[in-house]
Amino acid sequence: MGSALSNHTGETQTDSARRVYEDLSILLTEAWRREEVQRGRIEAASPSRVQSARNLVHYLSMREHDLRPLQKRLASLGLSSLGRAEPCVEWAISAVRYAAARLAEPPLPAERARAGALPFEVGRSLLDRQTDALLGPRPRERTVRIMVTMPTEAATDTSFVRGCVERGMNVMRINTAHDGPDEWLAMIENLRDARRATGRDCRVFADLSGPKLRTTSIVKKGQRREAIRLHAGDTLLLHSSPDLEVETQDPGRMLPIPAVGCSHAEVLSGLRPGHQVWFDDGKIGAEVASLDERGATLRVEFTKPGGQKLRLEKGLNLPDTRINLPALSEEDRAAMRVLAPHVDGLALSFVRTARDVADLRMALAEVTDRLIAQVLKIETREGFHNLPSLLFELMRTPVGGVMIARGDLAIECGFERMAEIQEEILWLCEAAHTPVIWATEVLASLAKQGRPTRAEITDAAMAQRAECVMLNKGPEILSAVRTLSDILTRMEPHQRKKMSMFRPLHVAMAQVEGVG
């Protein structure tokens, strides 16, 4: 479509309107065709999610095209650019097509929309209803909810949990990678007390840690170490044997090199020369130089100036490597059995394929009859690329959401791509009427040190486009909850998803008229 949508100098309004009409007709026809092809996926959705699944099919069909030439032509005619079509794709295209038909002379034949097409407000209400079902009733002061990760002290300090609720926490997050069943249940009990004391609603979500790759051992010069310092240009061996203590040599320089263990031996078979390996949340970057029976020899490509320490139990990211690990570990399943009677939602980490989503659904059905919401944490390159199929699988359950886990996702996809990746996830989820949780390092400096950076304030304001914003723990987390609530409340009159809301400017026209 792109080449057919270029402007022509001297084109009349009727000619331009006819071209727009034709292009929009193509978009509609293609969307309807894709709807028939994907009928099985649509009908597999939970009854309350069928309309959302259909709308997602229409959106994916529309976004296969380069719409920029068409959007320029629409703007020249004073028509909507389809830039806010996510919640109601068929209705939006039909409405603009009808308007374009009226601008032609003589007018072209066009209906406003088929029966059953979702009007804008209906599509938006489907997202609102799904948000309420996932995250609880809308708080009094704002639309966007706040999720807070609980520190260990939340198990013993009722006043801390109550303080979080009083300052604006709407969802308590329990990370099952930390603490244990006794602490988790104590946190939940303290939240019950806080809800009774404040009269405020607050949901409980638990994160299942999933197949997190970690460093399990470090050996240098035949001795086990707690940490080693690495510099760009260094070499190390990534292996899978917990007992590897033999001295290993750099084949190029015949010098001893350290050996670092990986928690999941099976992933090493997928490594290939040139693949990236990142350690400790991206603090150390390496590339696979060679492979042999011992494991993968890595060449360190990136550390901070002066080098970086690598310690035990630090995360690994393998963005170029296909990882075939079950989404749910035995530890995850044990945590589900403990928490299923008490939580409102479970978040699955490192989701990669639709099979992972199905596994969570089936595992939940084995441990409880309660309706527990499911949240997919998008934190791998594969998970991002598979997001459409993940959303279709998620819509087989009545209530679900998506978390943009920006920490690991930035490492996997590249920090320079995070802005566009966030946008695409927000667009796709809005088309699926699926709530989004914006996570990782929101107001991190404030939570840890008591003072935010300017960039963090802007990031928190941008997070208002999601349905929920997550804060991680820190000594000043209560201050961070209050500040985030204030930012989100202030942003509410200005922005709703991609739509700018034009409240009166703080700069009054009278001031301008009074100049000179």
Side-chain angles (χ1 to χ4, degrees), residues 105-121:
E105 189 62 44
L108 298 166
E111 297 180 357
R112 292 183 182 272
R114 292 189 309 176
L118 294 174
F120 180 83
E121 288 305 322

Side-chain angles (χ1 to χ4, degrees), residues 472-515:
N472 275 320
K473 53 194 174 184
E476 302 296 331
I477 187 62
L478 293 178
S479 177
V481 176
R482 180 193 289 113
T483 299
L484 179 59
S485 181
D486 182 61
I487 291 170
L488 296 175
T489 301
R490 289 174 181 275
M491 285 299 297
E492 184 105 356
H494 297 287
Q495 188 81 29
R496 173 74 198 271
K497 303 300 281 184
K498 288 168 64 180
M499 180 181 291
S500 297
M501 313 296 286
F502 289 160
R503 57 168 288 176
L505 291 174
H506 292 296
V507 180
M509 190 64 194
Q511 292 176 303
V512 178
E513 291 173 345
V515 174

Side-chain angles (χ1 to χ4, degrees), residues 196-347:
R196 285 191 291 266
T198 63
R200 295 193 178 197
D201 184 82
C202 185
R203 296 289 170 97
V204 183
F205 279 38
D207 262 26
L208 303 174
S209 56
K212 177 73 171 178
L213 306 182
R214 294 190 179 277
T215 56
T216 57
S217 63
I218 299 174
V219 176
K220 186 175 182 180
K221 295 182 179 180
Q223 296 183 349
R224 290 187 177 272
R225 307 290 180 92
E226 292 294 319
I228 53 172
R229 181 170 291 276
L230 295 172
H231 301 78
D234 286 350
T235 304
L236 70 152
L237 177 71
L238 184 65
H239 69 92
S240 58
S241 171
D243 300 317
L244 184 65
E245 295 190 8
V246 299
E247 189 166 288
T248 306
Q249 288 188 329
D250 181 333
R253 295 181 288 177
M254 299 305 293
L255 297 173
I257 64 172
V260 177
C262 174
S263 58
H264 293 78
E266 53 270 49
V267 305
L268 298 185
S269 62
L271 289 171
R272 298 292 181 269
H275 279 197
Q276 298 177 72
V277 179
W278 292 92
F279 296 90
D280 193 6
D281 294 331
K283 294 183 178 69
I284 300 169
E287 184 177 286
V288 177
S290 62
L291 298 155
D292 58 30
E293 68 281 358
R294 301 170 305 165
T297 299
L298 310 180
R299 183 75 66 182
V300 177
E301 302 286 341
F302 170 81
T303 68
K304 68 180 181 181
Q308 177 72 44
K309 277 192 174 183
L310 175 62
R311 302 180 185 276
L312 295 174
E313 294 299 314
K314 293 301 181 181
L316 283 86
N317 290 87
L318 309 175
D320 303 319
T321 307
R322 192 170 190 84
I323 297 176
N324 295 312
L325 291 174
L328 290 168
S329 66
E330 287 307 312
E331 292 82 0
D332 292 331
R333 294 177 184 275
M336 288 174 62
R337 288 192 287 271
V338 171
L339 291 167
H342 308 285
V343 299
D344 302 293
L346 286 171

Side-chain angles (χ1 to χ4, degrees), residues 36 52 77 135 161 201-202 260 294 315 320 340 356 381 395 447 479:
E36 290 305 314
S52 302
L77 291 170
L135 302 168
V161 178
D201 184 82
C202 185
V260 177
R294 301 170 305 165
D320 303 319
D356 296 339
R381 185 184 296 180
M395 286 189 282
S479 177

Side-chain angles (χ1 to χ4, degrees), residues 414-489:
F415 285 85
E416 68 279 3
R417 291 199 62 207
M418 270 311 299
E420 63 174 318
I421 286 171
Q422 287 175 173
E423 291 299 306
E424 290 196 26
I425 295 174
L426 286 167
W427 294 339
L428 285 166
C429 289
E430 187 176 6
H433 309 131
T434 296
V436 172
I437 301 166
W438 180 292
T440 312
E441 294 190 338
V442 178
L443 297 178
S445 297
L446 175 57
K448 294 176 182 177
Q449 301 163 14
R451 185 173 180 83
T453 66
R454 294 171 180 83
E456 286 177 349
I457 295 295
T458 301
D459 179 56
M462 286 296 295
Q464 195 268 343
R465 293 176 56 192
E467 280 65 49
C468 182
V469 184
M470 191 190 90
L471 293 172
N472 275 320
K473 53 194 174 184
E476 302 296 331
I477 187 62
L478 293 178
S479 177
V481 176
R482 180 193 289 113
T483 299
L484 179 59
S485 181
D486 182 61
I487 291 170
L488 296 175
T489 301

